[in-house]
């Protein structure tokens, strides 16, 4: 079992421990559960879907990296496929707080990067902050997304975000998690550049059209990609680097072992991720960073 789960494991009931052990007991557990795995867990533990998502929250929160707040937030996103995706907050010392990742953003981005096309619900251990309510309103699930908290009734995003402003108030644009391919091309034989380009082509930037993606390579040669997720209210937008760091953290990668990073964006885009990406990567100890433009 990964070290991050050791402290919390004793707080899980024995029946649920038995049900979860075949998955969470593995060192290569990737912070998600498939529908088949969930069925088996429900059968052994006797938990229903709702109780299981709530019971997984302490394990999701154990993935949190919060050196500033020491406030550990976990989230579980349920996709329309039936799969469950963990998410946790991430904070970075040495850069502005704007670089912070919230647990809901983490779970949603995790699901998106794994190819989930729509989310049904999100379960969180604390009430979602205003920033996350706005971030969630960018999803193609809209305000019908179900939001669950411990000891609260089932509510939807519409309850948490009344009089909502969102993408539907603007132009007729793709929504977050809609399948897109922007079709940008770069002549390259470099697998890291190609991975960053692929991420760019799946990114969400309907307001600025400044699509971007990133690919990170760690000391073991593993590649992690991230896509820009723009928001109708602009500020809750999630940069491509944060997206990649979310995935890296979820699969238990070490965000301080990035050896090389490639950012892809448009040469003439209105926005650039370059300077912010450079500053956050440098505090994470990565100095080999390239910008490739289309
Ligand atoms: Zn939040």
């Amino acid at each position: 079992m990964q070290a991050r789960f050791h402290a919390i494991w004793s707080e899980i009931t024995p029946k649920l421990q038995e049900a979860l052990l075949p998955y969470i007991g593995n060192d290569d557990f990737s912070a998600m559960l498939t529908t088949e795995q969930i069925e088996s867990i429900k059968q052994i533990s006797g938990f229903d879907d709702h109780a299981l998502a709530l019971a997984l929250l302490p394990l999701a929160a154990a993935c949190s990296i919060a050196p500033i707040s020491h406030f550990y937030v976990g989230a579980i996103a349920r996709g329309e496929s039936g799969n469950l995706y963990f998410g946790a907050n991430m904070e970075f010392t040495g850069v502005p707080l704007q670089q912070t990742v919230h647990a809901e953003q983490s779970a949603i981005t995790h699901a998106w990067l794994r190819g989930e096309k729509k989310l049904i619900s999100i379960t969180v251990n604390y009430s979602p902050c205003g920033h996350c309510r706005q971030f969630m309103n960018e999803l193609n699930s809209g305000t019908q997304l179900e939001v669950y908290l411990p000891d609260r009734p089932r509510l939807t995003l519409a309850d948490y975000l009344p009089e909502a402003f969102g993408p539907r108030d603007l132009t007729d644009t793709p929504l977050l998690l809609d399948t897109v391919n922007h079709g940008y091309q770069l002549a390259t034989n470099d697998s890291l550049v190609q991975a960053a380009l692929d991420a760019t082509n799946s990114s969400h930037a309907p307001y600025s059209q400044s699509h971007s993606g990133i690919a990170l390579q760690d000391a073991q040669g593993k590649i992690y990609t991230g896509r820009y997720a723009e928001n109708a209210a602009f500020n809750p937008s999630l940069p491509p680097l944060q997206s990649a760091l979310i995935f890296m953290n979820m699969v238990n990668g070490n965000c301080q072992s990035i050896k090389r990073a490639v950012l892809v964006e448009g040469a003439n885009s209105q926005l650039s991720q370059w300077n912010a990406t450079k500053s956050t990567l440098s505090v994470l100890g990565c100095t080999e960073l390239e910008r490739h433009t289309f």
Side-chain angles (χ1 to χ4, degrees):
M1 184 182 294
Q2 295 161 8
R4 57 186 177 177
F5 299 127
H6 287 174
I8 205 72
W9 188 246
S10 61
E11 294 175 29
I12 309 280
T13 62
K15 207 72 191 151
L16 188 58
Q17 279 187 357
E18 180 195 340
L20 289 174
L21 200 60
Y23 316 108
I24 294 181
N26 284 335
D27 276 343
D28 61 356
F29 175 66
S30 56
M32 68 163 289
L33 293 165
T34 64
T35 45
E36 294 76 19
Q37 294 169 344
I38 293 162
E39 279 315 308
S40 159
I41 292 165
K42 282 162 55 183
Q43 209 162 25
I44 295 168
S45 66
F47 282 49
D48 64 14
D49 281 322
H50 177 58
L52 177 60
L54 285 170
L56 291 172
L57 286 175
L59 291 160
C63 302
S64 161
I65 299 174
I68 300 166
S69 70
H70 304 288
F71 190 74
Y72 307 109
V73 189
I76 301 288
R78 184 187 306 280
E80 67 173 2
S81 67
N83 294 350
L84 294 178
Y85 304 90
F86 287 38
N89 59 323
M90 299 176 77
E91 299 167 355
F92 307 97
T93 52
V95 292
L97 283 178
Q98 278 75 11
Q99 304 298 317
T100 304
V101 171
H102 294 222
E104 297 89 328
Q105 291 181 303
S106 171
I108 290 165
T109 304
H110 184 193
W112 186 35
L113 290 170
R114 287 199 187 271
E116 195 67 53
K117 305 293 182 207
K118 196 170 190 173
L119 296 183
I120 304 301
S121 70
I122 190 152
T123 304
V124 202
N125 59 350
Y126 294 100
S127 185
C129 75
H131 176 87
C132 287
R133 296 176 195 205
Q134 189 66 49
F135 185 82
M136 292 191 280
N137 197 32
E138 193 71 22
L139 285 165
N140 56 5
S141 323
T143 52
Q144 293 313 300
L145 180 75
E146 296 167 9
V147 180
Y148 295 103
L149 288 158
D151 306 317
R152 303 277 174 84
R154 170 191 172 277
L155 296 171
T156 65
L157 183 58
D159 299 308
Y160 284 96
L161 195 66
E163 302 289 337
F165 168 82
R168 291 161 187 81
D169 297 306
L170 301 170
T171 50
D172 184 20
T173 61
L175 300 164
L176 190 59
L177 265 67
D178 280 348
T179 303
V180 291
N181 180 0
H182 306 300
Y184 300 114
Q185 295 185 345
L186 282 173
T188 181
N189 295 319
D190 186 324
S191 58
L192 204 60
V193 177
Q194 188 60 51
L197 178 66
D198 292 344
T200 303
N201 279 324
S202 305
S203 67
H204 177 74
Y207 314 109
S208 70
Q209 299 300 324
S210 301
H211 300 107
S212 63
I214 199 166
L216 312 174
Q217 192 158 34
D218 70 8
Q220 285 77 44
K222 278 188 74 178
I223 292 176
Y224 308 86
T225 61
R227 309 164 183 163
Y228 178 40
E230 201 161 75
N231 189 277
F234 285 15
N235 295 75
S237 300
L238 188 79
L241 175 61
Q242 270 68 8
S243 170
L245 293 173
I246 285 169
F247 197 86
M248 198 170 187
N249 181 39
M250 281 302 120
V251 300
N252 204 29
N254 178 359
C255 296
Q256 294 186 324
S257 76
I258 303 163
K259 290 294 166 212
R260 184 177 167 229
V262 170
L263 176 75
V264 168
E265 60 183 0
N268 299 312
S269 292
Q270 281 187 298
L271 311 179
S272 173
Q273 305 291 337
W274 178 238
N275 285 323
T277 301
K278 241 187 341 190
S279 76
T280 306
L281 272 177
S282 85
V283 302
L284 292 171
C286 170
T287 49
E288 200 183 331
L289 170 63
E290 300 154 33
R291 176 177 183 252
H292 293 249
T293 57
F294 49 82

